[in-house]
């Protein structure tokens, strides 16, 4: 929860059907940061689709959590790290189950503290 000045965190979530991911290489090149793309290239087959679906869901969740415009290409998603984007701290969680990938993002203004 954000504690400075009574600010509340903002939350976004998204759900992606993994099999809807087509043109895997093309999407990966457009969507992923260089670090994410390197991780993606280490995977094969269905696991690449799952990775892309999770990263796409994470970006969509971030878009929904932030009250500002978001450029997908400026965001690098690593669920282990806090993302810093235009004055916001964002924490993301990604999960996969069966045919779906889902993500939740919680965002706070940098001057507040996300706990």
């Amino acid at each position: 929860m954000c504690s400075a000045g009574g600010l509340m965190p903002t939350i976004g979530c998204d759900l992606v059907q993994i099999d809807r991911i087509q043109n895997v290489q093309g999407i990966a090149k457009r969507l992923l940061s260089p670090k994410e793309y390197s991780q993606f290239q280490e995977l094969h087959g269905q696991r690449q689709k799952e990775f892309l679906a999770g990263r796409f869901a994470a970006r969509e969740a971030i878009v929904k959590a932030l009250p500002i415009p978001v450029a997908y290409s400026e965001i690098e998603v690593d669920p282990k790290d806090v993302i810093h984007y235009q004055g916001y701290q964002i924490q993301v969680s990604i999960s996969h189950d069966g045919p779906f990938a889902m993500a939740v993002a919680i965002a706070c203004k940098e001057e507040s503290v996300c706990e």
Side-chain angles (χ1 to χ4, degrees):
M1 177 178 275
C2 298
S3 61
L7 296 174
M8 295 296 294
T10 54
I11 300 170
C13 65
D14 196 60
L15 180 70
V16 174
Q17 189 173 351
I18 295 168
D19 286 339
R20 291 191 66 197
I21 301 292
Q22 303 298 320
N23 186 17
V24 175
Q25 293 298 324
I27 293 172
K29 288 177 183 173
R30 287 190 315 272
L31 181 71
L32 302 176
S33 71
K35 179 181 174 184
E36 290 172 302
Y37 190 73
S38 177
Q39 294 169 335
F40 166 81
Q41 287 183 307
E42 294 176 10
L43 305 172
H44 302 284
Q46 184 67 13
R47 187 62 192 109
Q48 283 187 331
K49 288 175 116 177
E50 292 169 355
F51 184 89
L52 277 179
R55 290 313 192 270
F56 182 80
R59 282 169 170 79
E60 283 288 304
I62 291 167
V63 165
K64 293 171 183 174
L66 292 178
I68 58 173
V70 177
Y72 279 6
S73 61
E74 295 177 357
I75 295 175
E76 181 172 276
V77 176
D78 184 342
K80 295 177 281 185
D81 295 330
V82 173
I83 299 165
H84 297 273
Y85 184 77
Q86 295 189 13
Y88 289 86
Q89 293 179 0
I90 308 157
Q91 190 72 50
V92 175
S93 178
I94 301 172
S95 184
H96 302 84
D97 188 18
F100 299 104
M102 66 90 54
V104 175
I106 300 173
C108 295
K109 290 288 280 178
E110 291 276 7
E111 58 268 9
S112 61
V113 178
C114 293
E115 298 175 352

